[in-house]
Amino acid sequence: MTATAPPVGEPDRTQPRNTPASPAAARLLRLLPAAVAALCGVLLYVSFPPRTLWWLALPAFAGLGWALRGRGWKAGLGLGYLFGLGFLLPLLVWTGVEVGPGPWLALAAIEAVFVALVGAGVAVVSRLPGWPLWAAALWTAGEAARARVPFEGFPWGKIAFGQADGLFLPLAAVGGTPVLGFAVVLCGFGLHEAVRAAVRARRTGRIRRSAAAAALLSVAVPVLGALAARPLVSAEAEDGTATVAVIQGNVPRAGLDFNAQRRAVLDYHARETERLAAEVEAGKADRPDFVLWPENSSDIDPFANADARAVIDRAARSIGAPISVGGVVERDGKLLNEQILWDPAKGPVDTYDKRQIQPFGEYLPLRSLIGAMNDEWTSMVSQDFSRGTEPGVFTMAGTEVGLVTCYEAAFDWAVRSEVTDGAQLISVPSNNATFDRSEMTYQQLAMSRVRAVEHSRTVTVPVTSGVSAIIMPDGRITQKTGMFVADSLVQEVPLRSSQTPATRLGVAPEIVLVLVAAGGLGWAVAAGVRGRRAGGV
């Protein structure tokens, strides 16, 4: 009688197993994959900013590969969920800083479902030849889904956003965050396969060439690809330079009620701008061509409030340069998170309305249902913000400045649209005062560094309370502020107009990787069906 291989996706019970010394040892062995999956999720979290331990993502995925390989899809689902919780619970703890643990735990639990589904898929494809390729593509597909649903998605925690200091960063210029993240995951799974092949060769004295080649390619191709992509990363000026000023005015206090003194926040930013103007006049600072204020720097509508308008006018005249002001504006019955281009002579001349608004922060999905469960939340978000519809590129002293407001920096399409609309420089005005001194601001800053390389643009990050920064097109931070201090950054920065492959290709690399994932999953399922039929004959 000829032995048949188990169907793809089913656990392999044909291999001899050592009998544990005791029932307690047997229970520990059964728990080991779950413990490894959860701990590897934590390891992945540790690889993210503010730490610069980007390389820990590789052993994190190698360990996940060990836990998932050869298991059934149900086990993969559970192990993937544990990995997701180990990663997302600590990564997203900042979401509960001011509103308590409920929303944080709910968000992490929901987002981990996507990782669980990926875990099930990886378990299914893990018996295929070259399984790290299919598994890494499945991870990318999971990230693509998480960036779109529910409520238009939540891309926070993309693997690419943990690689701002890493070897693989140049790949962002090749295919954006999908290709960068795919390369890291492929290398991690390939690392596990390489170790497994080496252990097998040492134990048996034989090398399975196909498995060894797949393992080697899974590790080598991402590394060599990243090295080959380095010429795409440049901080050289193509369209001359501009001197930019980033203003961080600070806030009266941290937390959700930071804007209870909205006039104080506006005054702080005007005061810091006027202080910089005095330094310019004294020859202590370079004169900026334009000035960038953060999101929510004027939560008093300057179109409806003469006092607010006068404060901004005075600041713009003192510095003698156009200012991009972050305001909350009500127009035609709509509440808008708006960037306003303020000319020192003409006043407001252009606007950009934030397009990707934050669920549960700027609008409340399922308002009636949530109100029935917790009316406190409906009072916190008493009126939904409306969405903008057009990209925002301001012409500021001859420079095309693309606006990406805070939360939008996490979304590939929102950043790319500004560059394809002509932006020579990207500004990411943000307000992180709500999240106190948590890791959130550093995670978001890393996103902006990845975007700088992805589109080869200088990126400025003006934040109400820090960390504000100036980032070169090669991802280097050249200046940054502290947190909860008033400060300004002035620097001559390169302007660029060429487009990277990532900018030109847009969503195409992600679509290709999703199709690869679907192909691998389909192949594995078909192979499993054939195996079960053969076993039943």
Side-chain angles (χ1 to χ4, degrees):
M1 182 176 179
T2 303
T4 59
V8 172
E10 293 298 325
D12 186 353
R13 299 185 178 89
T14 65
Q15 300 299 317
R17 296 179 181 269
N18 294 325
T19 303
S22 68
R27 283 194 294 271
L28 286 175
L29 283 175
R30 285 197 295 270
L31 290 174
L32 183 60
V36 168
L39 290 174
C40 284
V42 175
L43 192 64
L44 181 59
Y45 155 71
V46 175
S47 75
F48 269 65
R51 295 156 296 277
T52 57
L53 303 173
W54 58 271
W55 52 271
L56 286 178
L58 302 182
F61 279 102
L64 179 64
W66 176 86
L68 292 176
R69 192 183 184 283
R71 299 190 180 276
W73 70 267
K74 292 180 182 178
L77 192 72
L79 293 170
Y81 195 70
L82 290 172
F83 181 83
L85 288 178
F87 172 46
L88 293 167
L89 277 171
L91 185 81
L92 302 178
V93 68
W94 52 267
T95 60
V97 166
E98 293 295 333
V99 295
W104 158 51
L105 295 173
L107 177 62
I110 292 169
E111 294 298 308
V113 170
F114 291 91
V115 184
L117 294 172
V118 170
V122 171
V124 170
V125 302
S126 66
R127 293 187 183 280
L128 294 178
W131 71 269
L133 170 69
W134 315 110
L138 278 165
W139 184 274
T140 304
E143 287 192 339
R146 199 159 64 83
R148 289 167 173 81
V149 294
F151 312 125
E152 299 197 350
F154 187 72
W156 219 277
K158 273 189 166 188
I159 299 304
F161 296 148
Q163 297 295 308
D165 292 292
L167 167 71
F168 300 99
L169 180 60
L171 289 170
V174 176
T177 60
V179 167
L180 173 54
F182 170 78
V184 174
V185 179
L186 175 61
C187 195
F189 283 143
L191 182 63
H192 161 67
E193 190 66 4
V195 171
R196 194 174 74 90
V199 170
R200 184 196 302 114
R202 184 173 181 178
R203 187 176 65 244
T204 64
R206 297 192 304 272
I207 297 177
R208 291 180 57 188
R209 293 182 180 179
S210 59
L216 179 63
L217 288 172
S218 297
V219 174
V221 169
V223 173
L224 295 176
L227 295 175
R230 292 184 69 179
L232 295 174
V233 181
S234 173
E236 297 297 320
E238 294 176 336
D239 305 316
T241 62
T243 301
V244 58
V246 170
I247 301 297
Q248 177 176 303
N250 204 9
V251 298
R253 56 182 175 268
L256 289 175
D257 62 346
F258 82 94
N259 62 354
Q261 299 182 38
R262 295 179 297 165
R263 177 57 188 268
V265 176
L266 172 57
D267 286 344
Y268 285 4
H269 286 81
R271 184 188 307 159
E272 182 60 26
T273 304
E274 290 164 3
R275 188 195 65 78
L276 175 61
E279 288 196 347
V280 170
E281 291 302 319
K284 297 179 180 179
D286 293 335
R287 182 174 297 278
D289 296 313
F290 52 89
V291 179
L292 301 168
W293 284 12
E295 178 188 33
N296 299 128
S297 47
S298 179
D299 273 359
I300 301 175
D301 185 347
F303 295 104
N305 187 292
D307 287 348
R309 185 183 184 108
V311 169
I312 300 170
D313 266 334
R314 186 172 64 248
R317 287 195 302 269
S318 72
I319 197 68
I323 303 177
S324 178
V325 177
V328 174
V329 172
E330 190 163 356
R331 184 181 298 116
D332 300 327
K334 296 179 178 180
L335 192 63
L336 301 166
N337 186 337
E338 190 165 83
Q339 288 291 310
I340 307 164
L341 176 54
W342 208 282
D343 185 87
K346 301 176 184 177
V349 294
D350 200 358
T351 60
Y352 166 64
D353 299 325
K354 187 177 182 180
R355 294 171 291 166
Q356 188 70 44
I357 58 177
Q358 181 184 352
F360 303 99
E362 291 173 306
Y363 78 101
L364 197 60
L366 311 173
R367 179 175 288 273
S368 59
L369 177 61
I370 290 174
M373 295 186 297
N374 186 349
D375 59 359
E376 183 179 347
W377 205 314
T378 57
S379 64
M380 288 169 54
V381 189
S382 58
Q383 181 180 354
D384 291 343
F385 279 81
S386 295
R387 304 172 187 275
T389 57
E390 300 294 330
V393 179
F394 288 169
T395 302
M396 305 183 74
T399 298
E400 301 298 309
V401 180
L403 283 307
V404 180
T405 305
C406 197
Y407 184 59
E408 292 182 317
F411 293 83
D412 296 347
W413 68 269
V415 185
R416 178 177 178 267
S417 66
E418 312 302 69
V419 179
T420 57
D421 207 44
Q424 299 167 298
L425 176 149
I426 298 169
S427 183
V428 185
S430 302
N431 171 28
N432 297 341
T434 304
F435 305 107
D436 204 355
R437 296 180 182 273
S438 70
E439 293 183 356
M440 180 270 185
T441 191
Y442 300 102
Q443 293 171 8
Q444 190 178 50
L445 185 59
M447 291 180 192
S448 295
R449 294 179 63 192
V450 172
R451 298 306 185 190
V453 173
E454 181 179 14
H455 299 292
S456 195
R457 294 293 187 272
T458 297
V459 176
T460 60
V461 186
V463 185
T464 50
S465 56
V467 173
S468 299
I470 295 176
I471 305 167
M472 292 293 99
D474 59 7
R476 288 179 298 117
I477 297 176
T478 52
Q479 291 192 62
K480 64 180 180 179
T481 69
M483 293 185 75
F484 293 99
V485 294
D487 204 353
S488 58
L489 308 174
V490 181
Q491 186 174 325
E492 184 180 13
V493 298
L495 303 178
R496 295 176 62 85
S497 57
S498 64
Q499 294 188 0
T500 63
T503 306
R504 292 194 297 270
L505 292 170
V507 75
E510 186 176 56
I511 291 174
V512 169
L513 290 171
V514 170
L515 291 175
V516 169
L521 199 57
W523 180 14
V525 170
V529 170
R530 288 196 298 270
R532 283 191 293 271
R533 287 176 178 171
V537 173

